[in-house]
Structure formats: structure tokens, C-alpha cells
């Protein structure tokens, strides 16, 4: 599933990132690479998402989330 | 030219790079543009133990890819050998992610050292970082740093000295091993001859080739024979690309940080303030309130300089009196009084505001609030091709356009900054709000509300259209992507560095705007100068002569002269009209009104007797959307450091305000 489908306060592991090279470069440099853990801090409708990953609070537009595939993990 | 050492500062946005740059160089800095590029170039210098050092503050970017001019400029500048040492900054409180820059740098053949900035914030979060362990793995000096801590600088200078002496390079062996795991890497690596692109190692080039870096690929195509190049292309096709190389970089970082960092067990949660800023309902009101409070707060530090401005004005009349009493030629007296003293009065009032706005909004940036502002308005501003931060200059411009332009400096992309300023000009400023409702009430009574609504709607449309026209040139398509940004932790401001920076900025503004304001005021004075003291002079003659033309725009010559004067100062426009319809001298009327003299008591009757409703409507639109004033012009020049773009904006606003006047007049004619 993609990142934006993840509910608030859930955690997941990034499985893949997809998009043009510009997107890949940006999303990689902010730390979202396959294998990294993310925690959803906020996921409101029509608002950017807030996730925590690699020591960092990251704000992401919903559209940008479409390119980040994740697998939910428990605890 | 000095033969000193050049240090390049390299770091992601919010890594504290600018703070360090300001702290090191203080007043000794210069801002310009990279030749032929719309990217800001910041240079400065400092002296330590009698030695001269140059510092280049490279554009903030998240990596060193070829996706933006900023990144290409940054990496080419370092690799070109212009910098002797690269100082790479990472944020200790977000170490894992912010070391990405170091990983992307690895392979550039320039000595470097690593600064673990914000170590105080990390300590507050309960993180323990063993810099020695990291240093051992990287083979370069690694220093925990906090810009507030004086001792930090001693260590900084010491490390800088060590790197200059030893020319220590980053140990990239383990990173190379990581890359070896990528299919195709080895093949490409072996096809790349030593020094094929000067300054970059084969490892770095091979990785960029895998990432499909257009600039690197073009250079390889030019440097290599066709056969070798196509073999690289083939190898690249079968490889995994940027996702894999990114994974390797982070795997390397993880390995470096393993055992070197004790993250503590602090639970991750949103702070109370962030809960408000990120709230769906309260986010936008909270940001607007923050900016407005900031605007009000910025008046406090502005007061002393504003008082200086008023004092200068207060000496104008006595000085002019003395000059004429000692037999100084009248024209010289007028130039000294109406041009020089008057200009300096504007300049100091302006500096007060620039000082206040730079300080307060610099502070908001420092402590991390600006990133929240960016977050909240990113979607809205993105539609105009801007960053969320651009909302701040717009709001400030309701008070004063010059403040808006000065505040636009927090926007790190030059094109977006210029676009923001260009749009901020469309926001009616405080002087417009003092004039427009008054004029509207005189002519339209209760209908004034409709006029004001029409002005606001026009403003929005104006901004939208201007964003389309200017945006195409200023903000490249590839710079318009959705938000992917970090929200840095809040931290304490570094007052010393902040003040040094604000003073430096104010000083630079003073030097640059003095020329602009003197020039514009001088030209305006010359054009309106009439030797007889009666109404006359070049502007008057031209105004009267082209009256039939300006009437097409709904402005008889009296209103047209007032419109021209409003470009210098909106406050003066009413003074000009009332002087002209009263049969007085308009240049004197302008000066008096600019200096805060009360408007003539019979203004209502004068206007109603001489100006028709459609003309009034045309005039309202013309002065509202005209060039805001000479200080806004000067501030725009100062922030964009482009005479070309400043002129384009001026010309554009003049034309648009006349078009709007034309439309308003003819719509008015249909109604009345």
C-alpha cells in the first residue's frame, strides 16, 4: 500500500519508491529509502502528511505519498 | 586578491549553515548572483590569528544531484578547486538523515571536515553522540558544534587548521563496498578513467551515472570514446539506479552511526505548538497571527532608526533657512533640502523597518517557526509556483511593501524570491489603505465598501496573472514540485549571530538603497522643479501636453501628475491633487503630504467639484496598483540584486496600473 493509506500513529517499513528521477532524488535525500521505518504522526484529509523517519519529522504532500510504497508493521 | 584559504560551507536547508556563515563573517559579507544563473551567491571573509580566510556559503540543497542549478553550482564550485576546504554541516538532532549530504559529497576530491551542528538541541533530546567514533570511521575531523557556544568556534578553527595542514580526505572505502553490491556498478566504475571529470573520483561519477545524472552523462559523452560511453549506457540500463544508490548511502550512514549514537528513549510526539500549526482548522489562523504579531513586533526594534529619520526631517526647514540666509543659491538650497535631506529621512525610516523585519523574521526562521509557516501554506502558495514561506511577505505587504520585499529574503530560491516580491507589489500597502477608503467614501459614500471589495478581488486576480507571466521565467517547471520537507526541531536563537547578520544586512541595505532613493527623488524633483516657484517644470508641461491621452485612462492632467507622484510616495498623491485643484504648487503639496501634513479641509468639495465618479474610480485603481513607492523599489533592488528584474517589475506595474485605470474608467462611464 502507499504511505497515505497508513493511519495515524501506525508504523511501517518503506518497500519501494517510484517516480521520476527528480522525485526519487528528493525523497531519497529526505531519507525515505526502501527498508527504512516510518511512523505516521498526522494524516488528515486534504492535508499534507506528517511522518517521522530517520530522526526527522517529514512533511509530505498527499500526491507525493503515492510514490512511497510501505508495508505496515505492528509495534 | 588575498592568497588566503577558501572554505566552502555545505549543508542541507535548516542545517544552520547561514547561522555559521553569519557568525564567522559578520559584517564582512557580500551577496550577489552566480554568473549567468538565477542562484544567489554569498561570500564573506574572516581573519583568525592574523590569517585571512574566504568563506563561500553554498546554496542550501538536500543533495548534490543535477536536478537544480543550486546543486550543480554547489558541486562544481567545490570540485573546481576554488574551495580549499569543504566544511560539511549536519544537524545533530536529525543526524541520520542530515548526513546524506556527506554521503553524496563522498568522492569529491577536496579536503573536508564534518560539523555536527545543533549539538545543544541533540543533547536536549537526550541523544548522545560520540564524535570520536565517527571521526575514526570517516578519517576527517568531526566536531560537535553549537553556534551559541564560544568554545565551539575554537574547536572549529582548530579543525579547519588541521584540515588545511593535512589535506585530509574522507575515507570512502566502506561506501565503495556498499556500492559494489549494486549490479552494474563495478562495470561502470571500471570504464571510467582516472580524472575524466576533474575533481570527481571514479566512484562518484559511476554512482551519478547510475542515478542518471544528466550533467555527468553529458560530460562523459564528451570525454569518452563512443564505444566506452555506450557500454556505460548499457550497464546503466540493467542497473537499479537512484533508489539503490540512495539505499547504499544510508546503509553507509547507518554503519557510521552504529555504536556512535545513543538515541536515548525519548518518545516521539508533536509538540503543543506543532499540534496547533499542523491542525486542519487552526493552522492557517495560527500562521497569520504569528506573522501579524511578528509585523507588530518588528516595529519595536525599528523605532530608534525611525526616530533618526524624523529628526533628519526636522532639521530640513532650519537647514534650508540657514542656507538661504547665508546667500546660498536657491536651487542648491532646494536640492539639499528637498532631495538630499528628504531622501535621507526616507532612507532612515526605511532602514528602521528593514532592521525590524529582518530581525523578527530572521528570528522566526532561526527558531524553526518559518518551516511551519512553509508547511501550512505550501499547498496554497504552490499554486502560484511559490513556497509556503511566501505568504509571509504578502501579509507584511498589507502594512508596507518594503517590509514585504525585505522579508522575502527568507525564501532560499532566487527565482521564487523575485516572484514573491513581484506579487507582493500587488498587495495594497498601508498608505493605499489610508487613501483608498477615504477617496472611495468621498465619491461613493456607502458604495466605498464595494470599491474596496473590487480592489481586493483585483489584487487576487492581479497576483494570479502576474504569477503566470513572471513565474514562467522565474520558477522553472522542475522547481515546482509538491512539498517534501522536514520540520526541524524548535531551537533557541543564536542572538549574537542573528544581530551580526541583521546589522550587516542593514548596513548593506543602507549603501545600496541610498543610491536608488537619491536618484529617484532627484529625478522626480528635477522634473517637477519650476524656477518661477509657480506650477511649471518638465513634468507639469508634459502632463498638461498629454492630457488628451491620459484622459483616455480617466485621468485629467491633475490626476495624472498625482498618479506619477504616487509612484514615489502614495502618501503624497493626495497632497498633489489638493495643491493642484487649489492652485498651489504640487511639488510643495507632495512634500508636505509626504511629511505627514494634514490634508486640506476643503478636499471633499475640491474633489467633488473637479473629478467625476468614473475618473475617481480610475484614479483609485491607478494609484493602488502603481509602483508602491521609492523605498519599495529600493528594497526590491536590494533583495533581488538585479537591476534588470527590478526595472521589469516597475515597468510592468506601471503598465498594469494604467490598464486597470482604463478599465475602471470605462466601466465607470457605463455605470454613471
Amino acid at each position: 500500500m502507499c504511505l497515505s493509506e497508513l493511519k495515524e500513529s501506525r508504523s511501517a517499513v518503506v518497500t519501494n519508491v517510484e517516480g521520476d528521477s527528480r522525485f526519487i532524488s528528493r525523497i531519497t535525500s529526505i531519507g525515505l529509502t526502501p527498508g527504512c521505518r516510518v511512523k505516521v504522526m498526522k494524516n488528515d484529509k486534504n492535508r499534507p502528511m506528517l511522518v517521522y523517519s530517520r530522526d526527522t519529522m517529514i512533511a509530505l504532500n498527499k500526491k507525493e505519498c503515492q510514490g512511497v510504497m510501505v508495508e505496515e508493521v505492528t509495534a | 586578491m588575498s592568497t588566503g584559504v577558501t572554505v566552502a560551507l555545505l549543508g542541507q536547508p535548516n542545517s544552520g549553515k547561514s547561522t555559521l556563515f553569519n557568525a564567522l563573517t559578520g559584517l564582512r559579507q557580500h551577496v550577489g548572483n552566480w554568473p549567468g544563473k538565477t542562484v544567489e551567491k554569498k561570500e564573506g571573509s574572516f581573519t583568525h590569528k592574523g590569517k585571512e580566510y574566504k568563506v563561500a556559503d553554498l546554496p542550501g540543497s538536500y543533495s548534490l544531484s543535477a536536478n537544480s542549478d543550486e546543486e550543480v553550482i554547489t558541486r562544481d564550485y567545490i570540485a573546481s578547486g576554488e574551495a580549499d576546504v569543504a566544511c560539511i554541516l549536519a544537524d545533530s538532532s536529525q543526524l541520520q538523515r542530515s548526513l546524506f549530504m556527506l554521503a553524496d559529497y563522498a568522492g569529491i576530491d577536496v579536503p573536508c571536515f564534518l560539523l555536527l551542528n545543533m549539538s545543544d538541541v541533540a543533547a536536549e533530546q537526550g541523544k548522545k553522540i560520540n564524535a570520536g567514533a565517527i571521526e575514526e570511521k570517516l578519517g576527517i575531523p568531526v566536531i560537535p558544534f553549537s553556534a551559541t557556544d564560544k568554545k565551539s568556534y575554537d574547536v572549529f578553527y582548530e579543525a579547519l587548521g588541521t584540515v588545511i595542514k593535512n589535506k585530509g580526505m574522507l575515507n570512502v572505502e566502506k561506501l565503495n563496498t556498499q556500492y559494489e553490491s549494486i549490479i552494474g556498478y563495478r562495470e561502470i566504475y571500471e570504464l571510467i578513467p582516472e580524472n575524466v571529470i576533474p575533481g570527481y573520483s571514479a566512484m562518484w561519477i559511476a554512482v551519478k551515472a547510475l542515478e542518471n545524472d544528466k550533467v555527468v552523462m553529458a560530460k562523459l559523452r564528451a570525454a569518452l570514446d563512443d564505444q566506452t560511453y555506450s557500454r556505460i549506457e548499457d550497464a546503466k540500463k540493467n542497473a537499479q539506479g537512484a533508489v539503490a544508490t540512495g539505499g547504499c548511502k544510508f546503509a553507509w550512514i547507518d554503519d557510521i552511526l552504529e555504536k556512535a549514537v545513543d538515541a536515548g528513549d525519548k518518545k516521539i510526539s508533536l509538540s503543543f505548538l506543532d499540534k496547533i500549526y499542523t491542525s486542519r482548522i487552526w493552522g492557517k489562523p495560527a500562521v497569520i497571527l504569528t506573522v501579524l504579531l511578528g509585523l507588530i513586533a518588528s516595529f519595536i526594534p525599528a523605532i530608534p532608526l525611525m526616530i533618526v529619520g524624523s529628526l533628519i526631517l526636522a532639521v530640513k526647514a532650519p537647514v534650508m533657512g540657514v542656507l538661504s540666509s547665508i546667500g546660498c543659491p536657491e536651487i542648491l538650497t532646494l536640492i539639499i533640502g528637498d532631495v538630499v535631506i528628504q531622501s535621507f529621512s526616507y532612507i532612515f525610516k526605511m532602514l528602521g523597518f528593514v532592521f525590524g523585519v529582518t530581525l523578527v523574521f530572521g528570528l522566526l526562521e532561526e527558531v524553526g517557526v518559518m518551516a511551519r509557516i512553509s508547511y501550512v501554506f505550501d499547498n496554497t502558495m504552490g499554486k502560484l509556483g511559490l513556497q509556503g514561506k511566501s505568504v509571509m511577505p504578502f501579509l507584511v505587504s498589507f502594512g508596507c511593501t518594503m517590509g514585504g520585499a525585505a522579508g522575502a529574503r527568507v525564501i532560499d530560491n532566487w527565482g521564487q524570491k523575485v516572484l514573491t516580491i513581484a506579487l507582493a507589489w500587488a498587495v495594497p500597502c498601508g498608505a493605499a489603505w489610508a487613501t483608498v477608503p477615504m477617496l472611495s467614501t468621498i465619491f461613493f459614500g456607502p458604495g466605498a465598501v464595494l470599491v474596496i471589495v473590487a480592489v481586493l478581488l483585483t489584487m487576487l486576480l492581479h497576483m494570479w496573472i502576474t504569477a503566470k507571466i513572471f513565474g514562467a521565467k522565474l520558477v522553472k517547471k522542475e522547481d515546482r514540485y509538491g512539498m517534501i520537507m522536514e520540520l526541524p526541531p524548535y531551537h533557541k536563537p543564536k542572538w549574537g549571530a542573528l544581530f551580526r547578520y541583521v546589522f550587516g544586512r542593514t548596513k548593506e541595505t543602507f549603501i545600496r538603497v541610498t543610491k536608488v532613493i537619491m536618484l529617484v527623488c532627484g529625478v522626480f524633483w528635477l522634473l517637477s522643479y519650476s524656477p518661477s516657484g509657480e506650477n511649471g517644470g518638465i513634468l507639469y508641461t508634459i502632463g498638461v501636453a498629454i492630457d488628451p491621452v491620459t484622459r483616455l485612462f480617466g485621468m485629467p492632467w491633475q490626476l495624472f501628475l498625482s498618479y506619477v507622484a504616487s509612484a514615489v510616495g502614495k502618501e503624497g498623491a493626495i497632497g498633489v491633487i489638493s495643491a493642484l485643484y487649489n492652485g498651489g504648487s504640487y511639488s510643495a503639496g507632495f512634500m508636505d503630504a509626504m511629511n505627514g501634513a494634514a490634508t486640506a479641509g476643503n478636499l471633499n468639495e475640491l474633489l467633488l467639484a473637479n473629478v467625476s465618479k468614473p475618473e475617481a474610480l480610475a484614479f483609485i485603481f491607478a494609484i493602488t496598483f502603481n509602483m508602491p513607492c521609492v523605498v519599495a523599489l529600493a528594497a526590491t533592488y536590494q533583495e533581488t540584486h538585479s537591476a534588470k528584474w527590478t526595472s521589469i517589475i516597475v515597468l510592468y506595474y506601471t503598465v498594469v496600473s494604467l490598464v486597470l485605470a482604463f478599465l475602471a474608467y470605462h466601466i465607470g462611464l457605463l455605470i454613471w
Side-chain angles (χ1 to χ4, degrees):
Chain A
M1 63 188 194
C2 84
L3 184 57
S4 55
E5 291 169 57
L6 215 56
K7 291 208 175 60
E8 204 158 300
S9 75
R10 297 296 175 85
S11 292
V13 169
V14 176
T15 52
N16 199 13
V17 288
E18 297 159 1
D20 59 11
S21 67
R22 199 180 168 79
F23 173 75
I24 300 284
S25 162
R26 279 289 282 132
I27 206 82
T28 303
S29 65
I30 203 99
L32 295 180
T33 53
C36 91
R37 244 184 121 99
V38 293
K39 186 179 177 208
V40 179
M41 303 305 294
K42 219 168 167 73
N43 190 359
D44 290 338
K45 252 189 199 159
N46 302 322
R47 295 280 297 158
M49 264 187 107
L50 271 185
V51 299
Y52 192 86
S53 167
R54 296 193 196 272
D55 305 336
T56 308
M57 194 72 75
I58 301 168
L60 279 170
N61 257 341
K62 280 284 159 67
K63 210 180 121 226
E64 269 54 41
C65 296
Q66 307 282 313
V68 182
M69 310 315 282
V70 295
E71 201 164 279
E72 194 171 339
V73 290
T74 40
Chain B
M1 284 295 284
S2 71
T3 48
V5 172
T6 300
V7 188
L9 304 183
L10 183 65
Q12 293 188 333
N14 299 316
S15 60
K17 196 162 57 70
S18 302
T19 310
L20 175 66
F21 179 70
N22 294 329
L24 287 175
T25 60
L27 300 179
R28 295 165 65 185
Q29 45 178 274
H30 172 74
V31 184
N33 268 33
W34 292 88
K37 289 281 193 301
T38 56
V39 178
E40 207 158 71
K41 182 178 190 177
K42 289 206 257 175
E43 289 174 309
S45 61
F46 67 91
T47 321
H48 180 69
K49 290 192 176 160
K51 267 196 201 152
E52 172 91 8
Y53 295 84
K54 284 210 292 177
V55 189
D57 183 9
L58 296 171
S61 60
Y62 283 96
S63 65
L64 296 174
S65 71
N67 288 322
S68 69
D69 279 350
E70 277 86 351
E71 291 166 278
V72 176
I73 284 172
T74 299
R75 67 193 202 186
D76 283 352
Y77 175 85
I78 298 174
S80 73
E82 261 190 80
D84 301 283
V85 176
C87 169
I88 301 166
L89 284 96
D91 180 346
S92 310
S93 65
Q94 318 176 41
L95 198 52
Q96 205 186 18
R97 180 192 54 82
S98 69
L99 279 178
F100 187 79
M101 185 55 100
L102 180 80
D104 220 16
Y105 175 88
I108 295 182
D109 296 329
V110 172
C112 63
F113 63 110
L114 179 66
L115 215 56
L116 303 179
N117 202 5
M118 322 243 181
S119 55
D120 48 340
V121 182
E124 261 169 50
Q125 292 175 339
K127 285 184 184 141
K128 285 193 190 75
I129 299 168
N130 182 349
I134 301 174
E135 192 168 280
E136 214 166 283
K137 286 188 172 158
L138 295 179
I140 53 167
V142 176
I143 33 182
F145 189 82
S146 158
T148 35
D149 184 11
K150 277 224 171 80
K151 274 183 233 150
S152 277
Y153 289 91
D154 294 338
V155 187
F156 170 85
Y157 292 127
E158 203 181 302
L160 180 60
T162 312
V163 178
I164 292 166
K165 210 171 82 201
N166 303 345
K167 303 211 179 308
M169 297 281 188
L170 185 63
N171 181 358
V172 295
E173 208 178 298
K174 285 220 166 122
L175 181 59
N176 197 39
T177 316
Q178 290 285 352
Y179 289 142
E180 297 276 2
S181 68
I182 300 174
I183 303 153
Y185 169 75
R186 176 105 294 230
E187 201 180 340
I188 297 177
Y189 180 87
E190 277 164 3
L191 286 168
I192 292 167
E194 202 53 35
N195 219 21
V196 61
I197 307 175
Y200 299 104
S201 73
M203 176 190 89
W204 193 89
I205 296 169
V207 169
K208 288 297 161 201
L210 284 171
E211 289 169 8
N212 200 17
D213 184 297
K214 289 198 183 71
V215 178
V216 163
M217 288 312 283
K219 282 189 178 166
L220 285 180
R221 181 189 281 269
L224 300 175
D225 58 87
D226 287 350
Q227 203 198 342
T228 317
Y229 181 76
S230 57
R231 278 177 67 192
I232 292 177
E233 284 262 292
D234 288 343
K236 196 166 75 102
K237 251 176 236 155
N238 305 321
Q240 299 132 301
V243 177
T245 58
C248 289
K249 287 171 196 170
F250 275 111
W252 179 66
I253 293 168
D254 290 343
D255 177 58
I256 292 165
L257 296 182
E258 208 198 349
K259 289 175 193 156
V261 175
D262 174 5
D265 49 6
K266 214 178 150 194
K267 227 178 146 252
I268 312 141
S269 62
L270 285 176
S271 66
F272 175 69
L273 204 52
D274 274 344
K275 279 192 187 132
I276 296 173
Y277 278 132
T278 59
S279 152
R280 225 143 72 91
I281 302 157
W282 299 108
K284 285 188 180 177
V287 162
I288 291 171
L289 190 71
T290 307
V291 176
L292 291 182
L293 287 178
L295 187 61
I296 294 166
S298 65
F299 276 106
I300 299 165
I303 289 170
L305 280 165
M306 299 236 177
I307 291 176
V308 173
S310 306
L311 289 177
I312 291 177
L313 202 59
V315 304
K316 181 179 149 183
V319 168
M320 287 174 84
V322 169
L323 285 174
S324 16
S325 72
I326 59 166
C328 179
E330 199 205 341
I331 185 154
L332 196 64
T333 310
L334 286 174
I335 289 176
I336 291 174
D338 284 348
V339 180
V340 179
I341 299 183
Q342 191 78 33
S343 294
F344 271 104
S345 166
Y346 293 155
I347 291 164
F348 273 92
K349 285 180 186 164
M350 164 181 181
L351 284 181
F353 207 59
V354 166
F355 183 81
V357 167
T358 318
L359 179 65
V360 171
F361 293 101
L363 182 66
L364 288 182
E365 167 117 85
E366 275 264 334
V367 299
V369 171
M370 204 55 85
R372 274 72 187 174
I373 294 179
S374 223
Y375 164 81
V376 175
F377 275 94
D378 198 85
N379 275 344
T380 320
M381 292 295 135
K383 292 188 182 110
L384 297 171
L386 297 171
Q387 306 176 4
K389 286 176 193 174
S390 303
V391 73
M392 195 274 293
F394 294 159
L395 290 173
V396 173
S397 292
F398 277 108
C400 176
T401 314
M402 168 247 297
R409 59 143 288 276
V410 295
I411 296 159
D412 43 27
N413 178 297
W414 184 85
Q416 288 177 323
K417 179 160 77 179
V418 178
L419 183 58
T420 303
I421 297 175
L423 296 184
W425 277 38
V427 178
C429 72
W433 291 119
T435 326
V436 171
M438 182 193 73
L439 285 176
S440 314
T441 317
I442 292 176
F443 284 95
F444 311 107
V449 178
L450 291 178
V451 175
I452 290 165
V453 170
V455 163
L456 286 173
L457 291 177
T458 309
M459 172 193 91
L460 293 177
L461 189 67
H462 192 325
M463 290 172 87
W464 188 74
I465 293 172
T466 309
K468 291 269 171 256
I469 296 173
F470 281 63
K473 262 257 167 7
L474 285 169
V475 186
K476 288 200 207 107
K477 222 172 149 197
E478 58 264 30
D479 281 339
R480 297 167 184 250
Y481 45 77
M483 173 168 51
I484 302 175
M485 62 176 278
E486 94 269 21
L487 288 185
Y490 292 104
H491 44 83
K492 288 190 207 87
K494 330 280 183 196
W495 289 107
L498 184 62
F499 270 104
R500 263 194 294 274
Y501 155 72
V502 175
F503 279 118
R505 196 76 190 171
T506 311
K507 188 189 89 176
E508 203 186 288
T509 306
F510 176 70
I511 296 165
R512 289 183 64 150
V513 303
T514 302
K515 285 182 284 187
V516 179
I517 292 180
M518 286 276 196
L519 186 74
V520 177
C521 289
V523 168
F524 180 71
W525 176 84
L526 202 65
L527 291 175
S528 57
Y529 175 67
S530 147
S532 65
E534 302 282 307
N535 270 330
I538 302 168
L539 192 60
Y540 180 85
T541 317
I542 295 176
V544 174
I546 62 165
D547 177 74
V549 181
T550 58
R551 273 182 194 276
L552 291 177
F553 299 94
M555 290 186 280
W557 65 270
Q558 293 94 335
L559 291 183
F560 182 70
L561 288 192
S562 169
Y563 160 77
V564 174
S566 76
V568 180
K570 284 211 167 86
E571 297 92 334
I574 299 296
V576 172
I577 320 184
S578 84
L580 285 174
Y581 287 126
N582 254 328
S585 155
Y586 71 92
S587 48
F590 176 75
M591 285 296 173
D592 292 345
M594 285 304 285
N595 298 342
T599 48
N602 59 344
L603 185 68
N604 284 16
E605 296 88 72
L606 274 179
L607 286 174
L608 287 170
N610 292 295
V611 180
S612 72
K613 279 185 177 180
E615 285 170 350
L617 195 64
F619 182 69
I620 287 169
F621 276 89
I623 64 162
T624 307
F625 294 104
N626 196 5
M627 177 176 124
C629 68
V630 59
V631 278
L633 168 80
T636 301
Y637 175 61
Q638 157 69 10
E639 291 305 323
T640 60
H641 30 86
S642 161
K644 182 186 136 197
W645 278 99
T646 310
S647 322
I648 292 174
I649 296 173
V650 171
L651 203 67
Y652 173 79
Y653 269 83
T654 309
V655 171
V656 170
S657 63
L658 288 173
V659 170
L660 287 172
F662 181 86
L663 293 175
Y665 179 57
H666 288 271
I667 292 170
L669 285 180
L670 293 177
I671 302 175
W672 296 290

